[in-house]
Amino acid sequence: MARIYANENFSLPAAAALRRLGHDVLTVQETGKASQAMPDEDVLAFARAESRILVTLNRGHFVRLHAA
């Protein structure tokens, strides 16, 4: 199954549903990094360092990061 990092704007019920399907989901809230206004680059770097797929509703910012 997938290793997922859920950004703080991603639904917690959706994260729970992914867990029920067998995915390894880590949320920003669980890392203690919620409400810290972390730059998107740092959020992505954390996901990469943990070998996790980043899920977010903040698509526009991360599309720009991917393009860069």
Side-chain angles (χ1 to χ4, degrees):
M1 290 292 163
R3 290 174 44 85
I4 298 170
Y5 184 49
N7 198 7
E8 68 184 312
N9 63 6
F10 191 75
S11 161
L12 291 176
L18 288 168
R19 283 189 177 126
R20 285 191 299 275
L21 292 171
H23 297 288
D24 176 1
V25 180
L26 178 65
T27 68
V28 169
Q29 292 83 354
E30 292 167 338
T31 65
K33 299 176 187 291
S35 301
Q36 294 184 10
M38 288 179 58
D40 294 333
E41 294 86 353
D42 293 351
V43 174
L44 184 58
F46 180 84
R48 287 185 56 146
E50 295 290 317
S51 299
R52 292 182 178 273
I53 298 164
L54 176 64
V55 292
T56 182
L57 298 180
N58 190 5
R59 182 181 181 274
H61 293 170
F62 287 95
V63 166
R64 284 194 295 277
L65 280 175
H66 177 72

Short mmCIF file of all heavy atoms in Angstrom, two decimals:
data_model
loop_
_atom_site.label_atom_id
_atom_site.label_comp_id
_atom_site.label_asym_id
_atom_site.label_seq_id
_atom_site.Cartn_x
_atom_site.Cartn_y
_atom_site.Cartn_z
N MET A 1 0.83 -1.18 0.00
CA MET A 1 0.00 0.00 0.00
C MET A 1 0.88 1.25 0.00
O MET A 1 2.05 1.18 0.27
CB MET A 1 -0.93 0.00 1.20
CG MET A 1 -2.02 -1.04 1.14
SD MET A 1 -3.17 -0.61 -0.17
CE MET A 1 -3.99 -2.15 -0.36
N ALA A 2 0.26 2.39 -0.21
CA ALA A 2 0.98 3.65 -0.34
C ALA A 2 1.34 4.25 1.02
O ALA A 2 0.61 4.10 1.99
CB ALA A 2 0.14 4.66 -1.12
N ARG A 3 2.48 4.93 1.03
CA ARG A 3 2.89 5.76 2.18
C ARG A 3 2.50 7.19 1.83
O ARG A 3 2.98 7.73 0.85
CB ARG A 3 4.39 5.64 2.42
CG ARG A 3 4.80 4.27 2.95
CD ARG A 3 6.31 4.11 3.06
NE ARG A 3 7.04 5.23 3.61
CZ ARG A 3 7.23 5.47 4.92
NH1 ARG A 3 6.73 4.64 5.82
NH2 ARG A 3 7.93 6.51 5.33
N ILE A 4 1.63 7.78 2.64
CA ILE A 4 1.02 9.06 2.31
C ILE A 4 1.31 10.08 3.42
O ILE A 4 1.28 9.75 4.61
CB ILE A 4 -0.51 8.88 2.14
CG1 ILE A 4 -0.78 7.94 0.98
CG2 ILE A 4 -1.21 10.22 1.97
CD1 ILE A 4 -2.23 7.49 0.86
N TYR A 5 1.57 11.33 3.00
CA TYR A 5 1.67 12.45 3.92
C TYR A 5 0.53 13.39 3.58
O TYR A 5 0.45 13.92 2.47
CB TYR A 5 3.02 13.15 3.76
CG TYR A 5 3.27 14.27 4.74
CD1 TYR A 5 3.05 14.11 6.10
CD2 TYR A 5 3.75 15.49 4.30
CE1 TYR A 5 3.28 15.13 6.99
CE2 TYR A 5 4.00 16.52 5.18
CZ TYR A 5 3.77 16.34 6.53
OH TYR A 5 4.02 17.36 7.41
N ALA A 6 -0.39 13.60 4.51
CA ALA A 6 -1.57 14.43 4.28
C ALA A 6 -1.31 15.84 4.80
O ALA A 6 -1.10 16.04 6.00
CB ALA A 6 -2.79 13.83 4.97
N ASN A 7 -1.32 16.80 3.90
CA ASN A 7 -1.16 18.20 4.24
C ASN A 7 -2.33 18.64 5.12
O ASN A 7 -3.39 18.02 5.11
CB ASN A 7 -1.10 19.03 2.95
CG ASN A 7 -0.51 20.40 3.14
OD1 ASN A 7 -0.01 20.73 4.20
ND2 ASN A 7 -0.54 21.20 2.10
N GLU A 8 -2.15 19.74 5.87
CA GLU A 8 -3.18 20.10 6.85
C GLU A 8 -4.50 20.53 6.24
O GLU A 8 -5.52 20.55 6.92
CB GLU A 8 -2.67 21.12 7.85
CG GLU A 8 -2.38 22.49 7.34
CD GLU A 8 -1.80 23.36 8.44
OE1 GLU A 8 -2.35 23.39 9.55
OE2 GLU A 8 -0.78 24.01 8.17
N ASN A 9 -4.54 20.84 4.95
CA ASN A 9 -5.82 21.18 4.34
C ASN A 9 -6.52 19.96 3.76
O ASN A 9 -7.61 20.07 3.22
CB ASN A 9 -5.67 22.28 3.29
CG ASN A 9 -4.82 21.87 2.12
OD1 ASN A 9 -4.40 20.71 2.01
ND2 ASN A 9 -4.53 22.80 1.23
N PHE A 10 -5.91 18.79 3.90
CA PHE A 10 -6.53 17.55 3.44
C PHE A 10 -7.47 17.05 4.55
O PHE A 10 -7.14 17.10 5.73
CB PHE A 10 -5.45 16.50 3.13
CG PHE A 10 -5.96 15.29 2.43
CD1 PHE A 10 -6.30 15.34 1.09
CD2 PHE A 10 -6.12 14.09 3.10
CE1 PHE A 10 -6.78 14.22 0.43
CE2 PHE A 10 -6.59 12.97 2.45
CZ PHE A 10 -6.92 13.03 1.11
N SER A 11 -8.60 16.57 4.16
CA SER A 11 -9.63 16.14 5.09
C SER A 11 -9.15 15.00 6.01
O SER A 11 -8.68 13.96 5.53
CB SER A 11 -10.84 15.68 4.28
OG SER A 11 -11.69 14.88 5.04
N LEU A 12 -9.31 15.20 7.32
CA LEU A 12 -8.96 14.12 8.26
C LEU A 12 -9.84 12.89 8.08
O LEU A 12 -9.34 11.76 8.15
CB LEU A 12 -9.00 14.63 9.70
CG LEU A 12 -7.90 15.63 10.06
CD1 LEU A 12 -8.08 16.14 11.49
CD2 LEU A 12 -6.52 15.00 9.90
N PRO A 13 -11.16 13.04 7.81
CA PRO A 13 -11.96 11.85 7.53
C PRO A 13 -11.48 11.11 6.28
O PRO A 13 -11.51 9.88 6.24
CB PRO A 13 -13.38 12.40 7.35
CG PRO A 13 -13.40 13.65 8.17
CD PRO A 13 -12.03 14.23 8.00
N ALA A 14 -11.00 11.84 5.27
CA ALA A 14 -10.47 11.18 4.08
C ALA A 14 -9.18 10.43 4.43
O ALA A 14 -8.95 9.32 3.94
CB ALA A 14 -10.21 12.19 2.97
N ALA A 15 -8.35 11.03 5.27
CA ALA A 15 -7.13 10.35 5.71
C ALA A 15 -7.48 9.06 6.47
O ALA A 15 -6.86 8.02 6.26
CB ALA A 15 -6.29 11.28 6.58
N ALA A 16 -8.49 9.14 7.32
CA ALA A 16 -8.94 7.95 8.06
C ALA A 16 -9.46 6.88 7.10
O ALA A 16 -9.20 5.68 7.29
CB ALA A 16 -10.01 8.33 9.08
N ALA A 17 -10.18 7.29 6.07
CA ALA A 17 -10.69 6.33 5.09
C ALA A 17 -9.54 5.66 4.35
O ALA A 17 -9.59 4.45 4.09
CB ALA A 17 -11.62 7.03 4.10
N LEU A 18 -8.51 6.41 4.02
CA LEU A 18 -7.34 5.82 3.37
C LEU A 18 -6.67 4.80 4.28
O LEU A 18 -6.21 3.75 3.82
CB LEU A 18 -6.35 6.91 2.95
CG LEU A 18 -6.78 7.78 1.78
CD1 LEU A 18 -5.87 9.00 1.65
CD2 LEU A 18 -6.77 6.96 0.49
N ARG A 19 -6.62 5.10 5.56
CA ARG A 19 -6.05 4.14 6.53
C ARG A 19 -6.88 2.85 6.56
O ARG A 19 -6.32 1.75 6.60
CB ARG A 19 -6.02 4.75 7.92
CG ARG A 19 -4.89 5.71 8.12
CD ARG A 19 -4.79 6.12 9.59
NE ARG A 19 -3.66 6.99 9.75
CZ ARG A 19 -3.72 8.18 10.31
NH1 ARG A 19 -4.86 8.64 10.78
NH2 ARG A 19 -2.64 8.93 10.42
N ARG A 20 -8.19 3.00 6.56
CA ARG A 20 -9.05 1.81 6.58
C ARG A 20 -8.82 0.94 5.35
O ARG A 20 -9.02 -0.27 5.39
CB ARG A 20 -10.52 2.20 6.70
CG ARG A 20 -10.91 2.66 8.09
CD ARG A 20 -12.41 2.80 8.27
NE ARG A 20 -13.02 3.77 7.37
CZ ARG A 20 -13.09 5.08 7.60
NH1 ARG A 20 -12.58 5.59 8.71
NH2 ARG A 20 -13.68 5.88 6.74
N LEU A 21 -8.40 1.57 4.26
CA LEU A 21 -8.09 0.81 3.04
C LEU A 21 -6.70 0.19 3.07
O LEU A 21 -6.29 -0.46 2.13
CB LEU A 21 -8.22 1.73 1.81
CG LEU A 21 -9.65 2.19 1.50
CD1 LEU A 21 -9.63 3.26 0.42
CD2 LEU A 21 -10.50 0.99 1.08
N GLY A 22 -5.97 0.44 4.16
CA GLY A 22 -4.67 -0.19 4.34
C GLY A 22 -3.46 0.68 4.04
O GLY A 22 -2.33 0.22 4.11
N HIS A 23 -3.69 1.95 3.74
CA HIS A 23 -2.57 2.85 3.44
C HIS A 23 -1.93 3.35 4.72
O HIS A 23 -2.59 3.48 5.76
CB HIS A 23 -3.04 4.03 2.58
CG HIS A 23 -3.56 3.60 1.26
ND1 HIS A 23 -2.75 3.14 0.25
CD2 HIS A 23 -4.83 3.55 0.77
CE1 HIS A 23 -3.48 2.83 -0.80
NE2 HIS A 23 -4.76 3.07 -0.50
N ASP A 24 -0.65 3.64 4.65
CA ASP A 24 0.12 4.20 5.76
C ASP A 24 0.03 5.72 5.64
O ASP A 24 0.73 6.32 4.83
CB ASP A 24 1.56 3.71 5.67
CG ASP A 24 2.47 4.30 6.73
OD1 ASP A 24 2.00 5.10 7.57
OD2 ASP A 24 3.67 3.97 6.71
N VAL A 25 -0.84 6.33 6.42
CA VAL A 25 -1.10 7.77 6.32
C VAL A 25 -0.52 8.49 7.54
O VAL A 25 -0.81 8.12 8.67
CB VAL A 25 -2.61 8.07 6.21
CG1 VAL A 25 -2.86 9.56 6.10
CG2 VAL A 25 -3.21 7.33 5.03
N LEU A 26 0.27 9.51 7.27
CA LEU A 26 0.79 10.39 8.30
C LEU A 26 0.24 11.78 8.02
O LEU A 26 0.35 12.26 6.89
CB LEU A 26 2.33 10.41 8.26
CG LEU A 26 3.04 11.33 9.24
CD1 LEU A 26 2.79 10.87 10.69
CD2 LEU A 26 4.54 11.35 8.95
N THR A 27 -0.36 12.41 9.01
CA THR A 27 -0.92 13.75 8.80
C THR A 27 0.01 14.81 9.37
O THR A 27 0.82 14.54 10.27
CB THR A 27 -2.30 13.89 9.47
OG1 THR A 27 -2.14 13.85 10.89
CG2 THR A 27 -3.27 12.82 9.00
N VAL A 28 -0.12 16.03 8.86
CA VAL A 28 0.65 17.15 9.38
C VAL A 28 0.36 17.31 10.87
O VAL A 28 1.27 17.57 11.67
CB VAL A 28 0.33 18.44 8.60
CG1 VAL A 28 0.91 19.66 9.29
CG2 VAL A 28 0.84 18.35 7.18
N GLN A 29 -0.89 17.12 11.26
CA GLN A 29 -1.26 17.25 12.66
C GLN A 29 -0.49 16.26 13.54
O GLN A 29 -0.06 16.59 14.64
CB GLN A 29 -2.78 17.05 12.83
CG GLN A 29 -3.61 18.14 12.21
CD GLN A 29 -3.86 17.97 10.71
OE1 GLN A 29 -3.31 17.09 10.06
NE2 GLN A 29 -4.69 18.83 10.15
N GLU A 30 -0.30 15.05 13.04
CA GLU A 30 0.41 14.02 13.81
C GLU A 30 1.91 14.33 13.95
O GLU A 30 2.55 13.85 14.88
CB GLU A 30 0.22 12.65 13.16
CG GLU A 30 -1.19 12.16 13.25
CD GLU A 30 -1.49 10.97 12.35
OE1 GLU A 30 -0.77 10.77 11.35
OE2 GLU A 30 -2.46 10.26 12.66
N THR A 31 2.45 15.09 13.03
CA THR A 31 3.88 15.44 13.11
C THR A 31 4.13 16.65 14.00
O THR A 31 5.28 17.00 14.24
CB THR A 31 4.46 15.73 11.71
OG1 THR A 31 3.84 16.89 11.17
CG2 THR A 31 4.30 14.55 10.78
N GLY A 32 3.04 17.32 14.44
CA GLY A 32 3.19 18.51 15.25
C GLY A 32 3.53 19.75 14.44
O GLY A 32 3.92 20.77 14.98
N LYS A 33 3.37 19.67 13.12
CA LYS A 33 3.71 20.79 12.24
C LYS A 33 2.48 21.59 11.78
O LYS A 33 2.61 22.47 10.96
CB LYS A 33 4.47 20.27 11.03
CG LYS A 33 5.79 19.58 11.37
CD LYS A 33 6.44 19.01 10.13
CE LYS A 33 7.63 18.17 10.43
NZ LYS A 33 8.77 18.91 10.93
N ALA A 34 1.32 21.28 12.31
CA ALA A 34 0.10 21.99 11.89
C ALA A 34 0.10 23.43 12.39
O ALA A 34 0.72 23.74 13.40
CB ALA A 34 -1.14 21.26 12.42
N SER A 35 -0.57 24.29 11.66
CA SER A 35 -0.75 25.71 12.02
C SER A 35 0.57 26.45 12.19
O SER A 35 0.67 27.38 12.99
CB SER A 35 -1.58 25.82 13.30
OG SER A 35 -2.84 25.23 13.12
N GLN A 36 1.60 26.03 11.47
CA GLN A 36 2.90 26.70 11.54
C GLN A 36 3.21 27.49 10.27
O GLN A 36 4.30 28.01 10.14
CB GLN A 36 4.01 25.69 11.80
CG GLN A 36 3.92 25.03 13.16
CD GLN A 36 5.08 24.11 13.43
OE1 GLN A 36 6.06 24.06 12.70
NE2 GLN A 36 4.96 23.35 14.49
N ALA A 37 2.26 27.54 9.34
CA ALA A 37 2.46 28.26 8.08
C ALA A 37 3.77 27.85 7.40
O ALA A 37 4.53 28.69 6.95
CB ALA A 37 2.39 29.77 8.30
N MET A 38 4.00 26.54 7.37
CA MET A 38 5.21 26.04 6.72
C MET A 38 5.18 26.35 5.23
O MET A 38 4.14 26.17 4.60
CB MET A 38 5.33 24.52 6.90
CG MET A 38 5.69 24.08 8.29
SD MET A 38 5.78 22.28 8.42
CE MET A 38 7.00 21.89 7.19
N PRO A 39 6.29 26.76 4.67
CA PRO A 39 6.34 26.96 3.22
C PRO A 39 6.07 25.64 2.49
O PRO A 39 6.45 24.56 2.98
CB PRO A 39 7.77 27.44 2.96
CG PRO A 39 8.27 27.93 4.28
CD PRO A 39 7.54 27.14 5.32
N ASP A 40 5.42 25.73 1.35
CA ASP A 40 5.10 24.52 0.58
C ASP A 40 6.36 23.72 0.26
O ASP A 40 6.33 22.49 0.25
CB ASP A 40 4.38 24.89 -0.71
CG ASP A 40 3.01 25.49 -0.45
OD1 ASP A 40 2.41 25.18 0.60
OD2 ASP A 40 2.55 26.27 -1.30
N GLU A 41 7.46 24.40 0.02
CA GLU A 41 8.72 23.70 -0.27
C GLU A 41 9.13 22.80 0.90
O GLU A 41 9.62 21.70 0.68
CB GLU A 41 9.85 24.71 -0.55
CG GLU A 41 9.67 25.52 -1.80
CD GLU A 41 8.82 26.77 -1.61
OE1 GLU A 41 8.26 26.98 -0.53
OE2 GLU A 41 8.72 27.54 -2.59
N ASP A 42 8.90 23.27 2.12
CA ASP A 42 9.25 22.47 3.30
C ASP A 42 8.31 21.28 3.47
O ASP A 42 8.74 20.20 3.89
CB ASP A 42 9.23 23.34 4.56
CG ASP A 42 10.33 24.39 4.58
OD1 ASP A 42 11.22 24.35 3.69
OD2 ASP A 42 10.29 25.25 5.47
N VAL A 43 7.04 21.50 3.18
CA VAL A 43 6.07 20.40 3.25
C VAL A 43 6.46 19.30 2.26
O VAL A 43 6.51 18.11 2.61
CB VAL A 43 4.64 20.90 2.97
CG1 VAL A 43 3.65 19.75 2.89
CG2 VAL A 43 4.20 21.91 4.03
N LEU A 44 6.78 19.70 1.04
CA LEU A 44 7.18 18.74 0.02
C LEU A 44 8.49 18.06 0.40
O LEU A 44 8.64 16.83 0.24
CB LEU A 44 7.30 19.43 -1.33
CG LEU A 44 7.62 18.55 -2.52
CD1 LEU A 44 6.58 17.45 -2.69
CD2 LEU A 44 7.72 19.40 -3.78
N ALA A 45 9.45 18.80 0.93
CA ALA A 45 10.73 18.23 1.33
C ALA A 45 10.54 17.18 2.43
O ALA A 45 11.18 16.13 2.40
CB ALA A 45 11.68 19.32 1.80
N PHE A 46 9.63 17.45 3.38
CA PHE A 46 9.36 16.49 4.44
C PHE A 46 8.78 15.21 3.85
O PHE A 46 9.20 14.10 4.20
CB PHE A 46 8.42 17.07 5.49
CG PHE A 46 8.12 16.11 6.61
CD1 PHE A 46 8.98 15.99 7.68
CD2 PHE A 46 6.97 15.32 6.58
CE1 PHE A 46 8.72 15.09 8.71
CE2 PHE A 46 6.70 14.42 7.59
CZ PHE A 46 7.58 14.31 8.66
N ALA A 47 7.81 15.35 2.97
CA ALA A 47 7.20 14.17 2.34
C ALA A 47 8.25 13.36 1.60
O ALA A 47 8.29 12.13 1.71
CB ALA A 47 6.08 14.59 1.39
N ARG A 48 9.10 14.03 0.85
CA ARG A 48 10.16 13.33 0.11
C ARG A 48 11.13 12.62 1.05
O ARG A 48 11.51 11.48 0.82
CB ARG A 48 10.91 14.30 -0.78
CG ARG A 48 10.11 14.72 -1.99
CD ARG A 48 10.94 15.57 -2.89
NE ARG A 48 12.15 14.83 -3.23
CZ ARG A 48 12.76 14.90 -4.38
NH1 ARG A 48 12.32 15.71 -5.30
NH2 ARG A 48 13.85 14.20 -4.62
N ALA A 49 11.52 13.30 2.13
CA ALA A 49 12.46 12.72 3.09
C ALA A 49 11.88 11.47 3.76
O ALA A 49 12.62 10.55 4.11
CB ALA A 49 12.83 13.75 4.16
N GLU A 50 10.56 11.44 3.89
CA GLU A 50 9.87 10.30 4.51
C GLU A 50 9.42 9.27 3.47
O GLU A 50 8.74 8.30 3.83
CB GLU A 50 8.66 10.79 5.29
CG GLU A 50 9.01 11.66 6.48
CD GLU A 50 9.66 10.87 7.60
OE1 GLU A 50 9.17 9.76 7.89
OE2 GLU A 50 10.64 11.37 8.18
N SER A 51 9.77 9.50 2.20
CA SER A 51 9.35 8.61 1.10
C SER A 51 7.83 8.43 1.07
O SER A 51 7.32 7.32 1.01
CB SER A 51 10.04 7.25 1.19
OG SER A 51 11.43 7.40 1.09
N ARG A 52 7.13 9.56 1.15
CA ARG A 52 5.67 9.54 1.17
C ARG A 52 5.11 10.34 0.01
O ARG A 52 5.71 11.31 -0.43
CB ARG A 52 5.14 10.12 2.48
CG ARG A 52 5.44 9.25 3.68
CD ARG A 52 4.85 9.82 4.96
NE ARG A 52 5.12 8.92 6.07
CZ ARG A 52 4.35 7.90 6.41
NH1 ARG A 52 3.24 7.67 5.76
NH2 ARG A 52 4.67 7.13 7.42
N ILE A 53 3.96 9.95 -0.45
CA ILE A 53 3.19 10.70 -1.43
C ILE A 53 2.52 11.85 -0.68
O ILE A 53 1.92 11.63 0.37
CB ILE A 53 2.11 9.81 -2.07
CG1 ILE A 53 2.74 8.64 -2.81
CG2 ILE A 53 1.18 10.62 -2.97
CD1 ILE A 53 1.76 7.54 -3.14
N LEU A 54 2.60 13.04 -1.22
CA LEU A 54 1.94 14.18 -0.60
C LEU A 54 0.53 14.32 -1.17
O LEU A 54 0.36 14.37 -2.38
CB LEU A 54 2.74 15.46 -0.86
CG LEU A 54 2.12 16.75 -0.34
CD1 LEU A 54 2.03 16.73 1.18
CD2 LEU A 54 2.90 17.94 -0.83
N VAL A 55 -0.46 14.37 -0.28
CA VAL A 55 -1.83 14.66 -0.71
C VAL A 55 -2.23 15.99 -0.11
O VAL A 55 -1.97 16.27 1.06
CB VAL A 55 -2.83 13.54 -0.34
CG1 VAL A 55 -2.56 12.28 -1.12
CG2 VAL A 55 -2.83 13.25 1.14
N THR A 56 -2.81 16.84 -0.96
CA THR A 56 -3.17 18.19 -0.56
C THR A 56 -4.32 18.69 -1.41
O THR A 56 -4.54 18.17 -2.51
CB THR A 56 -1.95 19.13 -0.69
OG1 THR A 56 -2.31 20.44 -0.24
CG2 THR A 56 -1.44 19.21 -2.12
N LEU A 57 -5.02 19.69 -0.92
CA LEU A 57 -6.02 20.37 -1.73
C LEU A 57 -5.44 21.65 -2.30
O LEU A 57 -6.11 22.37 -3.02
CB LEU A 57 -7.27 20.66 -0.89
CG LEU A 57 -7.98 19.43 -0.35
CD1 LEU A 57 -9.20 19.83 0.47
CD2 LEU A 57 -8.38 18.49 -1.45
N ASN A 58 -4.20 21.93 -1.98
CA ASN A 58 -3.49 23.13 -2.40
C ASN A 58 -2.76 22.84 -3.72
O ASN A 58 -1.57 23.06 -3.85
CB ASN A 58 -2.51 23.53 -1.30
CG ASN A 58 -1.89 24.87 -1.51
OD1 ASN A 58 -2.24 25.58 -2.45
ND2 ASN A 58 -0.96 25.23 -0.67
N ARG A 59 -3.47 22.33 -4.68
CA ARG A 59 -2.89 21.84 -5.94
C ARG A 59 -2.08 22.88 -6.68
O ARG A 59 -0.99 22.60 -7.16
CB ARG A 59 -4.01 21.30 -6.84
CG ARG A 59 -3.52 20.73 -8.13
CD ARG A 59 -4.69 20.25 -8.97
NE ARG A 59 -4.23 19.69 -10.21
CZ ARG A 59 -3.99 20.41 -11.31
NH1 ARG A 59 -4.17 21.69 -11.31
NH2 ARG A 59 -3.57 19.80 -12.39
N GLY A 60 -2.59 24.09 -6.80
CA GLY A 60 -1.93 25.12 -7.60
C GLY A 60 -0.51 25.40 -7.17
O GLY A 60 0.39 25.49 -8.01
N HIS A 61 -0.28 25.52 -5.88
CA HIS A 61 1.08 25.79 -5.39
C HIS A 61 2.02 24.64 -5.68
O HIS A 61 3.18 24.85 -6.05
CB HIS A 61 1.07 26.08 -3.90
CG HIS A 61 0.37 27.34 -3.55
ND1 HIS A 61 0.07 27.70 -2.26
CD2 HIS A 61 -0.09 28.36 -4.33
CE1 HIS A 61 -0.53 28.86 -2.24
NE2 HIS A 61 -0.66 29.28 -3.48
N PHE A 62 1.55 23.43 -5.53
CA PHE A 62 2.43 22.27 -5.71
C PHE A 62 2.66 21.96 -7.19
O PHE A 62 3.70 21.43 -7.54
CB PHE A 62 1.90 21.06 -4.92
CG PHE A 62 2.11 21.25 -3.44
CD1 PHE A 62 1.11 21.77 -2.64
CD2 PHE A 62 3.33 20.96 -2.85
CE1 PHE A 62 1.30 21.98 -1.29
CE2 PHE A 62 3.54 21.16 -1.50
CZ PHE A 62 2.53 21.67 -0.72
N VAL A 63 1.73 22.31 -8.05
CA VAL A 63 1.97 22.17 -9.49
C VAL A 63 3.11 23.08 -9.88
O VAL A 63 4.01 22.69 -10.64
CB VAL A 63 0.68 22.49 -10.30
CG1 VAL A 63 0.98 22.68 -11.77
CG2 VAL A 63 -0.34 21.38 -10.11
N ARG A 64 3.13 24.30 -9.35
CA ARG A 64 4.24 25.22 -9.65
C ARG A 64 5.58 24.68 -9.13
O ARG A 64 6.59 24.78 -9.79
CB ARG A 64 3.95 26.60 -9.05
CG ARG A 64 2.94 27.40 -9.86
CD ARG A 64 2.91 28.86 -9.46
NE ARG A 64 2.45 29.09 -8.09
CZ ARG A 64 1.19 29.16 -7.74
NH1 ARG A 64 0.23 29.00 -8.62
NH2 ARG A 64 0.86 29.38 -6.49
N LEU A 65 5.57 24.09 -7.94
CA LEU A 65 6.80 23.50 -7.41
C LEU A 65 7.29 22.36 -8.28
O LEU A 65 8.48 22.22 -8.54
CB LEU A 65 6.57 22.97 -5.98
CG LEU A 65 6.59 23.97 -4.86
CD1 LEU A 65 6.23 23.30 -3.54
CD2 LEU A 65 7.95 24.63 -4.76
N HIS A 66 6.37 21.53 -8.74
CA HIS A 66 6.72 20.41 -9.60
C HIS A 66 7.34 20.92 -10.92
O HIS A 66 8.32 20.37 -11.40
CB HIS A 66 5.51 19.54 -9.88
CG HIS A 66 5.78 18.41 -10.82
ND1 HIS A 66 6.51 17.32 -10.45
CD2 HIS A 66 5.44 18.22 -12.11
CE1 HIS A 66 6.61 16.50 -11.48
NE2 HIS A 66 5.97 17.02 -12.50
N ALA A 67 6.77 21.97 -11.46
CA ALA A 67 7.27 22.52 -12.72
C ALA A 67 8.66 23.11 -12.56
O ALA A 67 9.46 23.08 -13.49
CB ALA A 67 6.30 23.58 -13.25
N ALA A 68 8.94 23.63 -11.35
CA ALA A 68 10.26 24.24 -11.12
C ALA A 68 11.30 23.14 -10.98
O ALA A 68 12.42 23.26 -11.31
CB ALA A 68 10.22 25.08 -9.84
#
